[in-house]
Amino acid sequence: MKSLNLFNRTLVCSAVLCATMTLAACSSTVEQGKYVDGIHDVSAKGKKSLITLTVAVENGHIVDIKTKSQKETESLYLNAERLLPKVVANNGHEGIDAVSGATYSSNGILRAINTLPRIDGSQPEYVTVGSKEDSADENFKLKWSIQPQLGLLKGDYYFQEARFRQGHMGSVTIVTDRDNADDVIFAEFNESGRPNYYTRLYQDVPKRMSEYNFSMGKKKGTAWVQSALTMEKLMVEQDKLTFEHNPDFDPSLRNKLKEPNRLKYAGIDVVAGASNSIQQSMVPLTAKIHAQINGDGTNEQFYQYAEKLLNAKGQWTGVTAMLRLVVNTDSKQITKAHYDEVFADEKVQIKDASLKKFYRQSKYESINYVEPARIGFNVMIDALNIHLQQGGSLFLIDNLPATGDTGSYAATGFTKRSDSWDIYLHQAEILYREMRQDGVIKQHNKN
């Protein structure tokens, strides 16, 4: 009996030991929460003001952080506020660097998090951190897509443009289904910097597919195009062209990431950084188009064709070609023409290493793209637009820039034929056949 009891005690001890070892193993693999549960307001000094954050903690882990109050330089604080999701993911401020250009505001945020009450009652000393300079695009995490819809797109065409806020030029293109004017099938907003813009680089430069979005994204943590894409998606999905103001909107907090101002229009999450453009340009212009649709309608038709360019192996080169034509159905004349080549959304998708830096941009709108024919790509396409508006043939383009080999930059301003013209002619044939079949365009000579 004694030996049996000894055996039983041995089993019990072994079970307890195993359970203890299992718990120890679990505790070594599962991160333990370190903060006191609840909603906490924490504060610390930034550069110009006291920064107060509202932090939600569940099971010892930070689950949400919002800025409650601050009076920092707004653009700098918007940049520093990019740290908040990092703190949530990290469950604390430890090991997080300040944002370049917003070091004081960054440290104010991180210092405030350091004061969050801990389960063990400790209060670690805060050590001021510096920033790691972002290396151009390597650390650029913002995402958006500027890829055009592939294939054929056609419908009733509406367009409005007007200058706003010191001279920026906003424009909206809306295409509706021919058989149902209430069905929005395409929406596109663009904006060009005003002629006297404080940064000379972006004077009169379109923002949608240029370097502007990267420049703005690095400074403010959001890109202009993101708001445009958000609104365009809403218009197409909901067939919606008119919007009501958010009743809680406070004009004194315009374009600032402060609730309720984060929602500039009821039910629409407009990304900060382009809210002025949306409010002062896109919404008024689409309202005009809405009135036009419900009034006299339009006598212009929109035709677009887009395709991915392939290499000899049948692989996508990372470039998408797009031709867009607008034709007046009364005169059967082309009133607007635009050809462009759009680079992929990610560098890895672009096969030519020399072109990778132009990802999420297009040849026409990029500031830095250099056409091999040694003439501005935008100059070529602007000349095409004028040529067609004046009644020129879609196919007889030999008088346009970079349509022939000259070898003499001094004599002609370009040196060789641009490969883009051959792609254009291919797409022009596709759209021409479609327009002729629809009976909306006169015959164009090919020789």
Short mmCIF file of all heavy atoms in Angstrom, two decimals, residues 51-98:
data_model
loop_
_atom_site.label_atom_id
_atom_site.label_comp_id
_atom_site.label_asym_id
_atom_site.label_seq_id
_atom_site.Cartn_x
_atom_site.Cartn_y
_atom_site.Cartn_z
N ILE A 51 0.27 67.84 -26.19
CA ILE A 51 -0.43 66.85 -27.02
C ILE A 51 -1.15 65.88 -26.10
O ILE A 51 -0.55 65.28 -25.22
CB ILE A 51 0.57 66.08 -27.91
CG1 ILE A 51 1.26 67.04 -28.88
CG2 ILE A 51 -0.13 64.97 -28.67
CD1 ILE A 51 2.40 66.40 -29.66
N THR A 52 -2.46 65.76 -26.27
CA THR A 52 -3.25 64.83 -25.47
C THR A 52 -3.84 63.76 -26.37
O THR A 52 -4.47 64.06 -27.38
CB THR A 52 -4.38 65.55 -24.72
OG1 THR A 52 -3.81 66.54 -23.85
CG2 THR A 52 -5.20 64.58 -23.89
N LEU A 53 -3.61 62.50 -25.99
CA LEU A 53 -4.11 61.35 -26.72
C LEU A 53 -5.13 60.60 -25.89
O LEU A 53 -5.00 60.53 -24.66
CB LEU A 53 -2.97 60.40 -27.08
CG LEU A 53 -1.74 60.98 -27.77
CD1 LEU A 53 -0.66 59.91 -27.91
CD2 LEU A 53 -2.11 61.54 -29.14
N THR A 54 -6.12 60.02 -26.54
CA THR A 54 -7.06 59.11 -25.88
C THR A 54 -6.71 57.70 -26.33
O THR A 54 -6.76 57.39 -27.52
CB THR A 54 -8.52 59.45 -26.25
OG1 THR A 54 -8.82 60.77 -25.81
CG2 THR A 54 -9.47 58.47 -25.59
N VAL A 55 -6.34 56.86 -25.34
CA VAL A 55 -5.84 55.52 -25.64
C VAL A 55 -6.77 54.48 -25.05
O VAL A 55 -7.12 54.54 -23.86
CB VAL A 55 -4.41 55.33 -25.06
CG1 VAL A 55 -3.86 53.96 -25.47
CG2 VAL A 55 -3.49 56.44 -25.53
N ALA A 56 -7.20 53.53 -25.87
CA ALA A 56 -8.05 52.42 -25.42
C ALA A 56 -7.18 51.18 -25.21
O ALA A 56 -6.41 50.81 -26.09
CB ALA A 56 -9.15 52.14 -26.43
N VAL A 57 -7.32 50.55 -24.03
CA VAL A 57 -6.53 49.36 -23.69
C VAL A 57 -7.48 48.21 -23.34
O VAL A 57 -8.41 48.38 -22.54
CB VAL A 57 -5.58 49.62 -22.51
CG1 VAL A 57 -4.81 48.36 -22.14
CG2 VAL A 57 -4.62 50.76 -22.83
N GLU A 58 -7.25 47.06 -23.95
CA GLU A 58 -8.02 45.85 -23.65
C GLU A 58 -7.07 44.70 -23.43
O GLU A 58 -6.14 44.49 -24.22
CB GLU A 58 -8.98 45.52 -24.81
CG GLU A 58 -10.07 46.54 -25.02
CD GLU A 58 -10.97 46.18 -26.21
OE1 GLU A 58 -10.77 45.08 -26.77
OE2 GLU A 58 -11.84 46.99 -26.56
N ASN A 59 -7.28 43.95 -22.35
CA ASN A 59 -6.42 42.81 -22.02
C ASN A 59 -4.95 43.19 -22.00
O ASN A 59 -4.08 42.42 -22.41
CB ASN A 59 -6.65 41.66 -23.00
CG ASN A 59 -8.08 41.16 -22.99
OD1 ASN A 59 -8.69 41.04 -21.91
ND2 ASN A 59 -8.64 40.89 -24.15
N GLY A 60 -4.68 44.41 -21.54
CA GLY A 60 -3.31 44.87 -21.42
C GLY A 60 -2.68 45.36 -22.69
O GLY A 60 -1.51 45.75 -22.71
N HIS A 61 -3.45 45.38 -23.79
CA HIS A 61 -2.91 45.78 -25.08
C HIS A 61 -3.60 47.04 -25.59
O HIS A 61 -4.83 47.19 -25.46
CB HIS A 61 -3.08 44.65 -26.10
CG HIS A 61 -2.21 43.47 -25.84
ND1 HIS A 61 -2.52 42.51 -24.90
CD2 HIS A 61 -1.03 43.08 -26.39
CE1 HIS A 61 -1.57 41.58 -24.88
NE2 HIS A 61 -0.65 41.91 -25.79
N ILE A 62 -2.82 47.92 -26.21
CA ILE A 62 -3.37 49.12 -26.83
C ILE A 62 -4.14 48.71 -28.08
O ILE A 62 -3.58 48.03 -28.96
CB ILE A 62 -2.25 50.11 -27.22
CG1 ILE A 62 -1.48 50.57 -25.96
CG2 ILE A 62 -2.82 51.32 -27.96
CD1 ILE A 62 -0.24 51.37 -26.27
N VAL A 63 -5.41 49.09 -28.17
CA VAL A 63 -6.22 48.72 -29.32
C VAL A 63 -6.62 49.92 -30.18
O VAL A 63 -7.03 49.75 -31.33
CB VAL A 63 -7.49 47.94 -28.88
CG1 VAL A 63 -7.11 46.61 -28.26
CG2 VAL A 63 -8.34 48.78 -27.92
N ASP A 64 -6.49 51.12 -29.64
CA ASP A 64 -6.87 52.30 -30.42
C ASP A 64 -6.26 53.55 -29.79
O ASP A 64 -6.16 53.64 -28.57
CB ASP A 64 -8.39 52.45 -30.49
CG ASP A 64 -8.80 53.55 -31.44
OD1 ASP A 64 -8.32 53.56 -32.59
OD2 ASP A 64 -9.60 54.43 -31.04
N ILE A 65 -5.86 54.49 -30.64
CA ILE A 65 -5.34 55.79 -30.17
C ILE A 65 -5.93 56.88 -31.04
O ILE A 65 -5.90 56.79 -32.27
CB ILE A 65 -3.80 55.87 -30.26
CG1 ILE A 65 -3.13 54.68 -29.57
CG2 ILE A 65 -3.30 57.18 -29.65
CD1 ILE A 65 -1.63 54.63 -29.77
N LYS A 66 -6.45 57.91 -30.41
CA LYS A 66 -6.94 59.08 -31.12
C LYS A 66 -6.34 60.33 -30.50
O LYS A 66 -6.08 60.38 -29.30
CB LYS A 66 -8.47 59.16 -31.06
CG LYS A 66 -9.20 58.19 -31.98
CD LYS A 66 -10.69 58.46 -31.94
CE LYS A 66 -11.43 57.65 -33.03
NZ LYS A 66 -11.30 56.21 -32.83
N THR A 67 -6.12 61.33 -31.35
CA THR A 67 -5.66 62.62 -30.84
C THR A 67 -6.85 63.38 -30.27
O THR A 67 -7.82 63.63 -30.98
CB THR A 67 -5.01 63.44 -31.96
OG1 THR A 67 -3.88 62.71 -32.47
CG2 THR A 67 -4.54 64.79 -31.44
N LYS A 68 -6.75 63.75 -29.01
CA LYS A 68 -7.84 64.49 -28.37
C LYS A 68 -7.66 65.99 -28.55
O LYS A 68 -8.62 66.72 -28.85
CB LYS A 68 -7.91 64.14 -26.88
CG LYS A 68 -9.07 64.81 -26.15
CD LYS A 68 -9.17 64.33 -24.71
CE LYS A 68 -10.38 64.96 -24.02
NZ LYS A 68 -10.50 64.48 -22.61
N SER A 69 -6.43 66.45 -28.39
CA SER A 69 -6.16 67.88 -28.58
C SER A 69 -4.68 68.11 -28.84
O SER A 69 -3.83 67.35 -28.38
CB SER A 69 -6.61 68.68 -27.35
OG SER A 69 -5.87 68.30 -26.21
N GLN A 70 -4.39 69.16 -29.59
CA GLN A 70 -3.01 69.59 -29.85
C GLN A 70 -3.06 70.90 -30.60
O GLN A 70 -4.06 71.21 -31.26
CB GLN A 70 -2.23 68.53 -30.66
CG GLN A 70 -2.88 68.11 -31.97
CD GLN A 70 -2.57 69.02 -33.15
OE1 GLN A 70 -1.57 69.75 -33.13
NE2 GLN A 70 -3.40 69.00 -34.17
N LYS A 71 -2.01 71.69 -30.52
CA LYS A 71 -1.93 72.96 -31.25
C LYS A 71 -0.57 73.07 -31.92
O LYS A 71 0.03 74.14 -31.97
CB LYS A 71 -2.18 74.14 -30.31
CG LYS A 71 -3.60 74.20 -29.78
CD LYS A 71 -3.83 75.43 -28.90
CE LYS A 71 -5.27 75.46 -28.38
NZ LYS A 71 -5.53 76.64 -27.53
N GLU A 72 -0.10 71.94 -32.46
CA GLU A 72 1.16 71.91 -33.18
C GLU A 72 0.97 72.53 -34.57
O GLU A 72 -0.16 72.79 -35.00
CB GLU A 72 1.66 70.47 -33.33
CG GLU A 72 1.87 69.73 -32.02
CD GLU A 72 3.08 70.24 -31.27
OE1 GLU A 72 4.20 69.83 -31.60
OE2 GLU A 72 2.90 71.10 -30.37
N THR A 73 2.06 72.74 -35.30
CA THR A 73 1.94 73.10 -36.71
C THR A 73 1.24 71.96 -37.41
O THR A 73 1.70 70.81 -37.36
CB THR A 73 3.33 73.33 -37.33
OG1 THR A 73 3.99 74.39 -36.62
CG2 THR A 73 3.21 73.69 -38.81
N GLU A 74 0.10 72.25 -38.05
CA GLU A 74 -0.80 71.18 -38.49
C GLU A 74 -0.15 70.19 -39.44
O GLU A 74 -0.28 68.97 -39.29
CB GLU A 74 -2.04 71.78 -39.13
CG GLU A 74 -3.17 70.78 -39.31
CD GLU A 74 -3.69 70.26 -37.98
OE1 GLU A 74 -3.66 71.00 -36.98
OE2 GLU A 74 -4.12 69.09 -37.93
N SER A 75 0.57 70.68 -40.45
CA SER A 75 1.17 69.76 -41.42
C SER A 75 2.19 68.84 -40.76
O SER A 75 2.29 67.66 -41.10
CB SER A 75 1.83 70.54 -42.56
OG SER A 75 2.86 71.38 -42.06
N LEU A 76 2.93 69.38 -39.77
CA LEU A 76 3.92 68.56 -39.07
C LEU A 76 3.25 67.53 -38.18
O LEU A 76 3.68 66.38 -38.10
CB LEU A 76 4.85 69.46 -38.24
CG LEU A 76 5.69 70.47 -39.02
CD1 LEU A 76 6.59 71.25 -38.08
CD2 LEU A 76 6.52 69.78 -40.09
N TYR A 77 2.16 67.95 -37.54
CA TYR A 77 1.49 66.99 -36.65
C TYR A 77 0.82 65.87 -37.45
O TYR A 77 0.83 64.71 -37.02
CB TYR A 77 0.46 67.68 -35.76
CG TYR A 77 -0.08 66.71 -34.72
CD1 TYR A 77 0.70 66.37 -33.61
CD2 TYR A 77 -1.31 66.10 -34.87
CE1 TYR A 77 0.25 65.45 -32.68
CE2 TYR A 77 -1.78 65.18 -33.95
CZ TYR A 77 -0.99 64.86 -32.86
OH TYR A 77 -1.43 63.94 -31.94
N LEU A 78 0.26 66.21 -38.61
CA LEU A 78 -0.33 65.17 -39.45
C LEU A 78 0.71 64.13 -39.81
O LEU A 78 0.43 62.93 -39.89
CB LEU A 78 -0.90 65.79 -40.72
CG LEU A 78 -2.20 66.60 -40.57
CD1 LEU A 78 -2.56 67.25 -41.90
CD2 LEU A 78 -3.33 65.72 -40.10
N ASN A 79 1.92 64.59 -40.03
CA ASN A 79 3.03 63.68 -40.35
C ASN A 79 3.36 62.81 -39.14
O ASN A 79 3.49 61.58 -39.24
CB ASN A 79 4.24 64.49 -40.79
CG ASN A 79 5.16 63.70 -41.70
OD1 ASN A 79 4.84 62.58 -42.10
ND2 ASN A 79 6.30 64.26 -42.02
N ALA A 80 3.49 63.45 -37.98
CA ALA A 80 3.84 62.72 -36.76
C ALA A 80 2.75 61.73 -36.37
O ALA A 80 3.02 60.67 -35.80
CB ALA A 80 4.08 63.71 -35.61
N GLU A 81 1.50 62.05 -36.67
CA GLU A 81 0.38 61.20 -36.30
C GLU A 81 0.43 59.84 -37.00
O GLU A 81 -0.27 58.91 -36.59
CB GLU A 81 -0.94 61.91 -36.63
CG GLU A 81 -2.09 61.47 -35.75
CD GLU A 81 -3.34 62.27 -36.00
OE1 GLU A 81 -3.54 62.73 -37.14
OE2 GLU A 81 -4.13 62.45 -35.06
N ARG A 82 1.26 59.73 -38.02
CA ARG A 82 1.45 58.43 -38.67
C ARG A 82 2.03 57.40 -37.71
O ARG A 82 1.99 56.19 -37.97
CB ARG A 82 2.38 58.58 -39.88
CG ARG A 82 1.77 59.40 -41.01
CD ARG A 82 2.83 59.98 -41.93
NE ARG A 82 3.71 58.99 -42.51
CZ ARG A 82 4.82 59.27 -43.18
NH1 ARG A 82 5.19 60.52 -43.35
NH2 ARG A 82 5.56 58.31 -43.69
N LEU A 83 2.57 57.83 -36.57
CA LEU A 83 3.14 56.91 -35.59
C LEU A 83 2.07 56.13 -34.83
O LEU A 83 2.35 55.07 -34.28
CB LEU A 83 4.00 57.68 -34.58
CG LEU A 83 5.28 58.35 -35.10
CD1 LEU A 83 5.94 59.14 -33.99
CD2 LEU A 83 6.24 57.31 -35.66
N LEU A 84 0.85 56.65 -34.78
CA LEU A 84 -0.17 56.04 -33.93
C LEU A 84 -0.44 54.57 -34.27
O LEU A 84 -0.46 53.73 -33.38
CB LEU A 84 -1.46 56.86 -33.98
CG LEU A 84 -1.34 58.31 -33.47
CD1 LEU A 84 -2.71 58.97 -33.45
CD2 LEU A 84 -0.70 58.36 -32.09
N PRO A 85 -0.65 54.21 -35.56
CA PRO A 85 -0.85 52.78 -35.84
C PRO A 85 0.37 51.92 -35.53
O PRO A 85 0.23 50.75 -35.18
CB PRO A 85 -1.18 52.76 -37.35
CG PRO A 85 -0.75 54.08 -37.88
CD PRO A 85 -0.85 55.05 -36.76
N LYS A 86 1.56 52.52 -35.60
CA LYS A 86 2.77 51.77 -35.24
C LYS A 86 2.79 51.46 -33.75
O LYS A 86 3.17 50.37 -33.33
CB LYS A 86 4.02 52.57 -35.62
CG LYS A 86 4.24 52.76 -37.10
CD LYS A 86 5.54 53.50 -37.38
CE LYS A 86 5.79 53.69 -38.87
NZ LYS A 86 7.06 54.40 -39.12
N VAL A 87 2.36 52.43 -32.94
CA VAL A 87 2.32 52.23 -31.49
C VAL A 87 1.32 51.13 -31.14
O VAL A 87 1.58 50.28 -30.29
CB VAL A 87 1.96 53.55 -30.77
CG1 VAL A 87 1.76 53.30 -29.29
CG2 VAL A 87 3.06 54.59 -30.99
N VAL A 88 0.16 51.14 -31.83
CA VAL A 88 -0.86 50.11 -31.57
C VAL A 88 -0.30 48.74 -31.93
O VAL A 88 -0.40 47.79 -31.15
CB VAL A 88 -2.14 50.39 -32.38
CG1 VAL A 88 -3.12 49.23 -32.26
CG2 VAL A 88 -2.80 51.69 -31.92
N ALA A 89 0.30 48.62 -33.10
CA ALA A 89 0.85 47.33 -33.54
C ALA A 89 1.98 46.86 -32.62
O ALA A 89 2.13 45.65 -32.40
CB ALA A 89 1.36 47.45 -34.98
N ASN A 90 2.74 47.80 -32.08
CA ASN A 90 3.89 47.48 -31.23
C ASN A 90 3.51 47.33 -29.76
O ASN A 90 4.32 46.89 -28.95
CB ASN A 90 4.93 48.60 -31.39
CG ASN A 90 6.27 48.26 -30.78
OD1 ASN A 90 6.85 47.24 -31.12
ND2 ASN A 90 6.76 49.09 -29.87
N ASN A 91 2.25 47.71 -29.43
CA ASN A 91 1.78 47.75 -28.04
C ASN A 91 2.73 48.56 -27.16
O ASN A 91 3.15 48.13 -26.08
CB ASN A 91 1.61 46.35 -27.45
CG ASN A 91 0.75 46.39 -26.18
OD1 ASN A 91 -0.16 47.21 -26.07
ND2 ASN A 91 1.05 45.52 -25.23
N GLY A 92 3.06 49.75 -27.64
CA GLY A 92 3.95 50.62 -26.89
C GLY A 92 4.84 51.43 -27.80
O GLY A 92 4.88 51.20 -29.01
N HIS A 93 5.59 52.33 -27.21
CA HIS A 93 6.42 53.24 -28.01
C HIS A 93 7.84 52.75 -28.18
O HIS A 93 8.61 53.31 -28.97
CB HIS A 93 6.47 54.61 -27.32
CG HIS A 93 7.25 54.58 -26.03
ND1 HIS A 93 6.75 54.08 -24.86
CD2 HIS A 93 8.53 54.97 -25.75
CE1 HIS A 93 7.67 54.17 -23.91
NE2 HIS A 93 8.75 54.70 -24.42
N GLU A 94 8.20 51.71 -27.45
CA GLU A 94 9.59 51.26 -27.45
C GLU A 94 10.06 50.85 -28.84
O GLU A 94 9.38 50.11 -29.54
CB GLU A 94 9.76 50.08 -26.48
CG GLU A 94 9.57 50.43 -25.02
CD GLU A 94 8.11 50.33 -24.58
OE1 GLU A 94 7.24 50.14 -25.47
OE2 GLU A 94 7.84 50.44 -23.38
N GLY A 95 11.23 51.35 -29.23
CA GLY A 95 11.83 50.97 -30.50
C GLY A 95 11.29 51.70 -31.71
O GLY A 95 11.66 51.40 -32.84
N ILE A 96 10.42 52.69 -31.50
CA ILE A 96 9.84 53.44 -32.61
C ILE A 96 10.58 54.76 -32.77
O ILE A 96 10.80 55.48 -31.80
CB ILE A 96 8.34 53.70 -32.38
CG1 ILE A 96 7.59 52.36 -32.36
CG2 ILE A 96 7.77 54.62 -33.46
CD1 ILE A 96 6.11 52.50 -32.10
N ASP A 97 10.99 55.08 -33.99
CA ASP A 97 11.71 56.31 -34.28
C ASP A 97 10.75 57.46 -34.55
O ASP A 97 9.60 57.25 -34.93
CB ASP A 97 12.62 56.12 -35.49
CG ASP A 97 13.71 55.09 -35.24
OD1 ASP A 97 14.43 55.22 -34.24
OD2 ASP A 97 13.82 54.15 -36.05
N ALA A 98 11.25 58.67 -34.40
CA ALA A 98 10.47 59.86 -34.74
C ALA A 98 10.34 59.97 -36.25
O ALA A 98 11.14 59.42 -37.00
CB ALA A 98 11.14 61.10 -34.17
#
